[in-house]
Amino acid sequence: MKKSMFARLGVLFLSVVLLAAFGTVAAAKDIRVGGIMDTTGATSDVGKDYAIGMADAFKYINSQGGVNGKKIKYTWFDYGYRIPEAITKYKMLKRIGAVAIMGWGTGDTEALSPTVNKDKIPYVSASYSAHLTNPAKTPYNLFFSSDYSTNARCCLTAWFDKKWPNHPDFGKRKPRMACCYQFSSPYCSAPINAIKNQAKLLGFEIGPDQDVNLMALDTKSQIMALKAFKPDVVWHGNTVMSVAATIRDAYALGLGAAWIIDNWGFDENLPRLAGEAAEGAMGATPCAFFGQNVKNMDLVVTSAEKYSPGVPLGKRTIHTVQAWGDALVLWEALKRADAAGVDITKKGSGPAIMKKGFETMRNFDIGLGAAPISYTATDHRPATGCRVQEWKGGKFEVVEDVNLKKRWPDLWEKSEKEGGFFGY
Amino acid sequence: MKKSLILLIALLFGFGLVFSSCVTTDTPVKPNNSNFVAPKIELAGFEVPQYDGYWYIAKTVKPTKGEAGDRGAFLPMTFTFKITNPNVYPINLEEIKYSVVFDKSFMVMTTSDQMSNWIPAGMADEVKVTTLVTVRSALACLLVPGSVEMKKRGWENWSTLEKWWKGIPEGTVPVTLAECGFTFTAGDVTMVYPYRVDVQ
């Protein structure tokens, strides 16, 4: 009897010890999320703010209890916009057990896509290339924003709707459109087919493309080449530094064309860098500018102050907001997957995070002035259109909210091969 | 009976140990936002831990071994910080986010070092972080975010890079740590403090 009592006490003691030990391990288990950012490379003019914004967002998420009580351990690296380095960093993040990765550029995201598919790790990128939106080809690639092709189509459509009717030649001839971008950059070239097809759809005459390097400071030769074509509107697909240089040169040389710009070239720094040449420039804005009065912007601004106090608020841009957009969709996906019983701390939980998390979102509202977000198992285009804004009189103004799906429902569903909008 | 008593005492002692370890992890004063005092952050040292000179090899040049590419000399930099914790409870230094600025205006890199570095109450600790830039990465900075300032100063990229690579190890080029954020945690409290210092 006594022996039995001591044996029971012994078992109880051992159980307490084991529970204490493993309980500590369980409580300490974080959700590993990786980040591959550009803070020193060719797109660091916009990448640094995005990287800082992303780190702010994860600190905020953890301050709110993380994912249903589980903290996110976010580890990020600068890869300097070099694809080999992005691949190395990706492998490292995979080794440390990242269940999702926040990526950056189109070149590296597209290069990593086959590996990501094989590893089944959700990869939320700052590349909004439409090539990444077809789950039949890239089932683990995601982003919160309208894709570059949609942005380009929307910008051209907004200019056609709102500006072309005021042109003296309206009704007399076709409008003329040309493109400036770095030919060799996957990011810059991603939406070029789309905008040209949109131009054909709307009845534009298309001029010769101009190769403008992402690091260009002098673009006079390209502007002189454009002068012969006399474009009414020029699409610019680079980031803000080279966009500003091109706009300045075009202004100085009297090109006289309007500018429509992809989102990474259209930010708060554009008017600072291009001065009065930026007046009237229009661009794709997948979310609000930093500090604009929209839902959840207060979280972005207060977190910027709290978590990056060394960076002046005046230097923060829309790219911080974009980072939050991607962080918030991941947060929501993880919350949904966790609530559905998925062990989101476990390596290899990617397929379940996709199925029970991301792909359950239907018109999910993240605020931030972004369009409602949907992902399905067959379509990762998060939004069906884009807000187009214009720099006018010292502030950004909405030109038009273009919804491609509503306006061209048949084309929205069709693939590129079928002459539609899907997948490029 | 005597043996049983000894066993019982041993078991109770064991329970006591387990539970006391849980109890003693709590600090007498619970950290909160209002009692958290800003730690003192000082730069205690700066060094270039390994110097490889100034060089750049364009991708058009075939290397003796390996693949060609646009590559330049590394410039590693180690910063040592002395952190003093004035709080009555231990604090954990979790992250140092910082940017390195050359010549007062050119932000050549931004990075973040994550760690778990507990500093006992009322004590100081030294923390080292090492980072690096290459001639190639610094060139990209001059060409993109630094291009406007370069134009304003009328400086040329390659001579600027050479001046930096030769002058920084010798202490003749200004180096600044800017836009720093030191993240500390204690209990459920997370505090981030800004920091900026002219290193040389």
Side-chain angles (χ1 to χ4, degrees), chain A residues 289-412:
Chain A
F289 289 95
F290 185 81
Q292 279 184 333
N293 186 21
V294 294
K295 181 184 164 187
N296 288 341
M297 187 62 80
D298 54 331
L299 308 179
V300 178
V301 175
T302 53
S303 296
E305 277 179 305
K306 185 175 179 187
Y307 300 124
S308 296
V311 185
L313 278 188
K315 284 177 79 176
R316 305 306 292 265
T317 67
I318 190 173
H319 310 306
T320 283
V321 188
Q322 288 172 266
W324 272 74
D326 279 333
L328 292 183
V329 288
L330 175 67
W331 190 21
E332 181 64 19
L334 291 173
K335 282 195 281 192
R336 289 181 185 211
D338 183 67
V342 177
D343 183 357
I344 52 171
T345 64
K346 202 174 146 194
K347 225 174 166 177
S349 56
I353 293 171
M354 292 303 305
K355 201 174 168 188
K356 307 279 187 187
F358 285 107
E359 288 169 355
T360 64
M361 287 186 210
R362 300 289 182 274
N363 291 316
F364 175 64
D365 180 17
I366 58 167
L368 308 179
I373 291 159
S374 302
Y375 302 108
T376 71
T378 54
D379 193 346
H380 282 186
R381 286 176 297 181
T384 55
C386 178
R387 172 165 287 184
V388 179
Q389 297 195 52
E390 175 183 17
W391 177 254
K392 197 174 176 186
K395 59 180 197 265
F396 290 103
E397 281 182 9
V398 176
V399 177
E400 189 178 8
D401 287 313
V402 182
N403 190 321
L404 298 178
K405 187 179 180 180
K406 273 192 185 159
R407 193 146 164 187
W408 291 283
D410 294 344
L411 291 174
W412 181 256

Side-chain angles (χ1 to χ4, degrees), chain A residues 113-360:
Chain A
S113 187
T115 314
V116 166
N117 291 347
K118 195 166 69 106
D119 296 337
K120 299 181 170 55
I121 298 176
Y123 197 93
V124 187
S125 64
S127 165
Y128 310 149
S129 167
H131 303 141
L132 303 164
T133 57
N134 184 354
K137 295 174 184 169
T138 57
Y140 291 90
N141 285 98
L142 303 133
F143 45 81
F144 88 97
S145 160
S146 47
D147 61 72
Y148 297 143
S149 299
T150 297
N151 289 350
R153 287 180 184 281
C154 290
C155 281
L156 191 65
T157 304
W159 181 87
F160 182 78
D161 289 347
K162 303 291 181 185
K163 303 294 177 182
W164 176 235
N166 303 325
H167 195 283
D169 288 351
F170 177 70
K172 296 176 192 163
R173 63 166 171 85
K174 285 180 171 185
R176 292 187 286 261
M177 190 276 292
C179 300
C180 285
Y181 61 101
Q182 183 176 320
F183 294 176
S184 60
S185 161
Y187 150 64
C188 305
S189 56
I192 298 303
N193 276 343
I195 197 168
K196 286 183 179 173
N197 285 340
Q198 190 72 6
K200 283 178 203 157
L201 184 72
L202 296 170
F204 277 75
E205 190 182 338
I206 302 167
D209 291 355
Q210 299 302 314
D211 193 1
V212 176
N213 193 282
L214 280 164
M215 297 178 179
L217 286 176
D218 185 339
T219 63
K220 291 186 187 69
S221 62
Q222 291 92 333
I223 300 301
M224 291 310 290
L226 280 177
K227 278 191 99 170
F229 175 65
K230 293 182 186 162
D232 299 302
V233 61
V234 178
W235 165 256
H236 209 311
N238 285 9
T239 55
V240 70
M241 293 295 296
S242 55
V243 172
T246 314
I247 288 179
R248 275 199 315 262
D249 284 344
Y251 185 72
L253 294 170
L255 181 66
W259 291 93
I260 50 174
I261 306 162
D262 206 354
N263 59 277
W264 295 106
F266 192 69
D267 66 13
E268 293 89 335
N269 286 324
L270 183 69
R272 290 173 197 148
L273 293 164
E276 56 188 6
E279 183 68 18
M282 291 163 54
T285 51
C287 58
F289 289 95
F290 185 81
Q292 279 184 333
N293 186 21
V294 294
K295 181 184 164 187
N296 288 341
M297 187 62 80
D298 54 331
L299 308 179
V300 178
V301 175
T302 53
S303 296
E305 277 179 305
K306 185 175 179 187
Y307 300 124
S308 296
V311 185
L313 278 188
K315 284 177 79 176
R316 305 306 292 265
T317 67
I318 190 173
H319 310 306
T320 283
V321 188
Q322 288 172 266
W324 272 74
D326 279 333
L328 292 183
V329 288
L330 175 67
W331 190 21
E332 181 64 19
L334 291 173
K335 282 195 281 192
R336 289 181 185 211
D338 183 67
V342 177
D343 183 357
I344 52 171
T345 64
K346 202 174 146 194
K347 225 174 166 177
S349 56
I353 293 171
M354 292 303 305
K355 201 174 168 188
K356 307 279 187 187
F358 285 107
E359 288 169 355
T360 64

Side-chain angles (χ1 to χ4, degrees), chain A residues 39 59 74 241 308 315, chain B residues 95 97 107 110 114 144 179:
Chain A
T39 61
K59 283 200 169 82
Y74 174 62
M241 293 295 296
S308 296
K315 284 177 79 176
Chain B
E95 186 185 29
K97 188 169 64 186
M107 197 169 277
T110 297
Q114 292 180 339
V144 187
E179 299 188 354

